[in-house]
Amino acid sequence: MNGYNRKSPQKRRYDMPKYAVPPKKKAGKERVPQPKNTVAMLNELRHGLIYKLESQTGPVHAPLFTISVEVDGQKYMGQGRSKKVARIEAAATALRSFIQFKDGAVLSPLKPAGNLDFTSDEHLENGIENVSIEQLVELIQTLMLPEMNSNLTSLEQPTLRPQIFCMSHNANKNTIAVDGQKKVPDKGPVMLLYELFNDVNFECMNIDGAQNNCRFKMTVTINDKKFDGTGPSKKLAKNAAAKAALASLCNISYSPMMAPQKNAPLPIDDKSSSMELPQIHADTIGRLVLEKFMEVIKGQEAYSRRKVLAGIVMTENMNFCEAKVISVSTGTKCVSGEHMSVNGAVLNDSHAEIVSRRCLLKYLYAQLDLQCNQATAYQSIFVRNTDGQYPYKLKSGVHFHLYINTAPCGDARIFSPHENDTGVDKHPNRKARGQLRTKIESGEGTIPVKSSDGIQTWDGVLQGQRLLTMSCSDKIARWNIVGIQGSLLSSIIEPVYLHSIVLGSLLHPEHMYRAVCGRIEKSIQGLPPPYHLNKPRLALVTSAEPRNQAKAPNFGINWTIGDTELEVVNSLTGRTIGGQVSRITKQAFFEKFGFLMKNLPGMPTRKVNKDYGETKADVKDYQTAKQELFSAFKREDLGSWLKKPIEQDQFGLVE
């Protein structure tokens, strides 16, 4: 019209609905594993290799890359039109050097071969050393599997050089610092895992917790092996799963113990030693304690609420495949002053790690009970000590490992987890670090001890003075001097020390080391043998526990191996929720001690002092070691050890 031919705009057409539903994945479809190339095969034999670009030649449109890889001090080269191809060729060159024949000949690149018979002598005559990459990978896989290698019966049967299977310290050169100490890998765990392995599959298994406190679980599958990781986000859970896989398959650790600490003291006198517990062992300890907690809490889920979880695991000859969980406990509170007992019938300290140690004492008494009967003596973890002043000692190779889901309260937890406070202290006169600290009655947290003679009175506490208890960090430091067996058992067995402490979160190497042993290592002296300063190995699990903002409950649970059910204790009263005396009180242990003194074979004396406090005081070497510990804290100007009212130990043995 009017000489104009105007076209009306066409409407857009949609081939799909506005909100298209993505096609559903076919159920039951299995993931086909990718075939391995030479890089993946070489990484299985030697972990942590570094590929280096040596040169790039040729025109821009057709470059030729040369890449090298160093294996056991020997450099191997590879060329290709892309970096990936060059890397594969470099790995193939290294793999060829791994194969040797009976006469000592090795494969080296010459020319391609067709169908290769490795059982013949032809490789020596016509230079058949240049095996194709596919054949090379297949051959090495065959040689690594004995059942597949059995059909090669010729005298000229090829084999892998023996040192290929020796995963020495050279296998992880990129994780060793200049000073000989290990360091954390530069790359993230997920990226490194994809570089080392060809077939990596992550999967989100389930989600636990409320919307504001979610807990994700990721599983990574590598070569038909599964590794789990948990975290407050999918990313952190994925990182945790990758760390677990790297620790198990490659012995690569991302533990904070690996990070260089500028101002940290040497943890062990021998510089070649490491204070770090292997990551795979730490993860096993954490997993065993968590699994046992979930097992024993079944049927009493109302008491599963907790902030701190602790447990003790026992191993023999460091065999973690047969490790036993000795105790599991929860709790964060101490007894109220008005509920103190003059009969040793209450638990003064219901913090989880302290309760777990008391459960271990119950286990040690039970193991000594086995020695009272000749028919069951062989089942005990103790043996007769024929060459010492103590009648019994632990069997050789028996170790105890403490797990806590967070850093112990006190000195080990006085730091900011998001600030790097290592290096030179800008306030050298500050005395907050290393100070003895006390827990607050019926509450959480600790405060530094005051410069006093360390005495609390019974009537003062009943009048309203707060009952103070030494922090868990201080008590663990005490265990590393006098042992975890307590004063009563110290008259029967040699001191027992923790082999390792594994944390579920908040592990700061410098602060943790200082708290448990480092602050007194220079001042401790005059310990009667076999008492000594124990330096436990430290580790953090890969799946760290998140910060729990919930209010701490007023109860705690405890379980010891051999118990048919768990015990629930009111932390404020120190008794069970039914008002009964707990099975791990001073009163209960004093009765067990009296039984052992009367029935245990080989005891030099059968006399038992009827007073609990006097019985403890009679163990001279233990008391000497304890007093030397208190003196060491004073010499370092870290405060005085605060003692409970002496009336608490003035009770007798029940006939």
Side-chain angles (χ1 to χ4, degrees):
M1 298 177 66
N2 300 329
Y4 293 98
N5 185 13
R6 299 180 62 186
K7 294 184 179 180
S8 60
Q10 295 182 352
K11 294 183 178 180
R12 295 181 179 178
R13 297 178 59 187
Y14 291 90
D15 296 330
M16 298 180 62
K18 185 175 182 180
Y19 299 102
V21 180
K24 295 183 178 179
K25 295 182 179 180
K26 295 182 179 179
K29 184 178 180 181
E30 296 183 357
R31 188 174 186 268
V32 180
Q34 302 178 14
K36 294 181 181 179
N37 57 27
T38 55
V39 176
M41 181 61 64
L42 184 60
N43 283 329
E44 286 189 12
L45 298 173
R46 281 289 184 271
H47 303 300
L49 298 177
I50 298 178
Y51 292 85
K52 182 180 179 181
L53 178 63
E54 295 288 343
S55 65
Q56 177 181 345
T57 59
V60 177
H61 65 279
L64 182 64
F65 298 93
T66 301
I67 286 183
S68 67
V69 60
E70 185 174 338
V71 182
D72 296 338
Q74 181 69 34
K75 184 178 289 189
Y76 300 94
M77 313 291 286
Q79 290 186 333
R81 292 299 182 185
S82 68
K83 293 180 181 179
K84 179 179 179 180
V85 174
R87 189 182 299 113
I88 291 175
E89 290 294 338
T93 306
L95 288 174
R96 289 187 180 94
S97 71
F98 290 175
I99 302 174
Q100 69 177 10
F101 292 84
K102 294 294 183 180
D103 55 9
V106 297
L107 295 181
S108 58
L110 281 180
K111 58 183 181 179
N115 296 326
L116 181 62
D117 181 9
F118 289 103
T119 64
S120 71
D121 296 334
E122 187 179 3
H123 68 281
L124 301 177
E125 299 174 359
N126 61 5
I128 190 68
E129 291 93 340
N130 189 10
V131 187
S132 67
I133 288 178
E134 292 78 7
Q135 290 175 316
L136 181 64
V137 173
E138 182 180 356
L139 171 62
I140 292 183
Q141 285 180 321
T142 302
L143 297 179
M144 291 177 67
L145 298 175
E147 64 274 11
M148 296 179 63
N149 195 17
S150 59
N151 60 357
L152 300 177
T153 58
S154 170
L155 293 176
E156 301 299 334
Q157 173 183 332
T159 59
L160 285 179
R161 288 192 278 114
Q163 57 268 34
I164 298 307
F165 295 105
C166 299
M167 302 308 295
S168 63
H169 296 293
N170 294 330
N172 286 323
K173 287 185 177 180
N174 65 324
T175 62
I176 306 296
V178 178
D179 58 357
Q181 292 183 333
K182 289 185 178 181
K183 65 177 183 179
V184 176
D186 297 330
K187 298 180 180 178
V190 177
M191 177 185 295
L192 185 58
L193 194 66
Y194 276 117
E195 287 189 4
L196 294 179
F197 297 95
N198 201 36
D199 189 24
V200 179
N201 181 27
F202 284 95
E203 183 179 2
C204 185
M205 300 300 292
N206 57 16
I207 302 175
D208 298 327
Q211 185 176 3
N212 60 344
N213 190 25
C214 287
R215 191 76 175 158
F216 295 89
K217 179 180 179 181
M218 298 290 290
T219 298
V220 59
T221 305
I222 304 171
N223 297 337
D224 297 329
K225 294 183 179 179
K226 295 182 181 296
F227 303 92
D228 296 330
T230 59
S233 67
K234 289 184 179 179
K235 179 181 179 180
L236 293 177
K238 191 174 183 179
N239 279 340
K243 290 177 182 178
L246 290 171
S248 177
L249 300 176
C250 308
N251 194 24
I252 296 177
S253 175
Y254 282 81
S255 168
M257 294 298 298
M258 305 277 287
Q261 303 294 324
K262 296 180 181 179
N263 201 31
L266 287 175
I268 291 182
D269 296 335
D270 182 7
K271 294 182 181 180
S272 63
S273 302
S274 171
M275 198 176 182
E276 182 203 15
L277 184 73
Q279 188 65 57
I280 186 174
H281 293 168
D283 289 340
T284 300
I285 292 170
R287 175 178 54 81
L288 288 175
V289 173
L290 287 169
E291 289 177 353
K292 181 59 68 173
F293 173 73
M294 298 305 296
E295 176 187 332
V296 300
I297 205 68
K298 285 183 179 179
Q300 300 196 52
E301 284 77 7
Y303 300 106
S304 63
R305 189 161 57 95
R306 47 90 179 177
K307 290 198 74 171
V308 180
L309 169 69
I312 292 179
V313 174
M314 182 184 73
T315 59
E316 296 188 34
N317 300 318
M318 296 301 287
N319 182 6
F320 282 85
C321 296
E322 299 181 2
K324 296 180 181 178
V325 179
I326 302 301
S327 63
V328 172
S329 59
T330 65
T332 55
K333 301 285 183 72
C334 292
V335 69
S336 174
E338 61 180 317
H339 290 285
M340 290 188 303
S341 171
V342 294
N343 298 316
V346 301
L347 286 179
N348 291 324
D349 191 342
S350 291
H351 281 230
E353 51 267 59
I354 308 303
V355 174
S356 269
R357 179 255 178 181
R358 298 196 68 82
C359 290
L360 175 62
L361 289 182
K362 179 171 174 285
Y363 174 73
L364 296 182
Y365 277 107
Q367 290 297 303
L368 286 171
D369 280 343
L370 296 176
Q371 289 286 346
C372 295
N373 188 341
Q374 192 173 3
T376 59
Y378 74 96
Q379 302 175 8
S380 174
I381 63 172
F382 292 103
V383 293
R384 294 286 292 271
N385 189 10
T386 57
D387 56 351
Q389 59 178 340
Y390 300 92
Y392 290 88
K393 64 180 180 179
L394 272 180
K395 286 181 178 178
S396 177
V398 175
H399 295 105
F400 295 103
H401 313 268
L402 172 65
Y403 169 80
I404 319 171
N405 72 334
T406 184
C409 67
D411 190 45
R413 211 189 290 173
I414 306 300
F415 69 93
S416 173
H418 298 290
E419 292 180 358
N420 183 14
D421 57 357
T422 58
V424 179
D425 196 336
K426 297 180 180 180
H427 304 279
N429 296 324
R430 178 174 55 188
K431 296 182 179 180
R433 299 289 164 81
Q435 289 287 310
L436 291 173
R437 304 176 72 89
T438 61
K439 304 167 186 174
I440 300 176
E441 175 188 326
S442 305
E444 293 184 77
T446 60
I447 56 176
V449 297
K450 296 180 180 179
S451 298
S452 64
D453 52 3
I455 295 178
Q456 298 185 90
T457 60
W458 186 279
D459 47 352
V461 172
L462 289 183
Q463 186 67 25
Q465 179 185 357
R466 276 192 166 184
L467 180 64
L468 301 178
T469 304
M470 299 305 295
S471 71
C472 293
S473 293
D474 300 332
K475 290 189 175 183
I476 293 175
R478 174 173 169 165
W479 300 344
N480 284 324
I481 293 292
V482 300
I484 55 178
Q485 75 287 339
S487 57
L488 295 181
L489 284 180
S490 295
S491 61
I492 302 176
I493 61 175
E494 288 185 353
V496 178
Y497 295 100
L498 291 172
H499 181 267
S500 67
I501 302 175
V502 179
L503 300 186
S505 62
L506 296 180
L507 172 61
H508 190 293
E510 182 178 348
H511 295 294
M512 185 66 183
Y513 175 78
R514 180 193 63 240
V516 300
C517 60
R519 50 184 164 164
I520 55 173
E521 63 179 343
K522 295 180 181 179
S523 59
I524 195 74
Q525 58 188 17
L527 293 175
Y531 291 94
H532 63 277
L533 175 60
N534 177 56
K535 299 180 180 180
R537 299 183 181 274
L538 307 175
L540 177 72
V541 297
T542 52
S543 296
E545 287 212 1
R547 180 170 174 261
N548 189 350
Q549 303 179 32
K551 184 179 179 180
N554 291 330
F555 60 82
I557 66 103
N558 68 78
W559 173 91
T560 310
I561 185 171
D563 290 341
T564 56
E565 59 183 13
L566 59 82
E567 180 181 75
V568 185
V569 175
N570 184 330
S571 303
L572 304 183
T573 65
R575 296 177 180 267
T576 65
I577 54 175
Q580 304 298 316
V581 177
S582 171
R583 55 197 178 192
I584 55 174
T585 57
K586 295 178 181 180
Q587 183 186 98
F589 290 155
F590 197 27
E591 293 176 2
K592 294 178 184 293
F593 175 76
F595 174 83
L596 290 177
M597 292 298 291
K598 293 179 181 179
N599 299 279
L600 197 61
M603 295 301 297
T605 178
R606 299 291 179 184
K607 184 180 179 180
V608 180
N609 196 315
K610 298 299 183 181
D611 185 83
Y612 177 77
E614 292 178 2
T615 303
K616 295 204 306 182
D618 288 341
V619 189
K620 301 301 182 183
D621 283 353
Y622 181 92
Q623 296 300 329
T624 300
K626 184 176 70 173
Q627 291 303 320
E628 176 52 38
L629 169 70
F630 297 163
S631 299
F633 281 122
K634 287 185 178 180
R635 282 193 289 269
E636 293 290 340
D637 196 22
L638 300 177
S640 299
W641 193 277
L642 204 59
K643 301 177 182 179
K644 290 286 196 306
I646 58 176
E647 289 82 3
Q648 278 202 345
D649 289 347
Q650 294 176 344
F651 63 92
L653 186 64
V654 180
E655 294 292 341

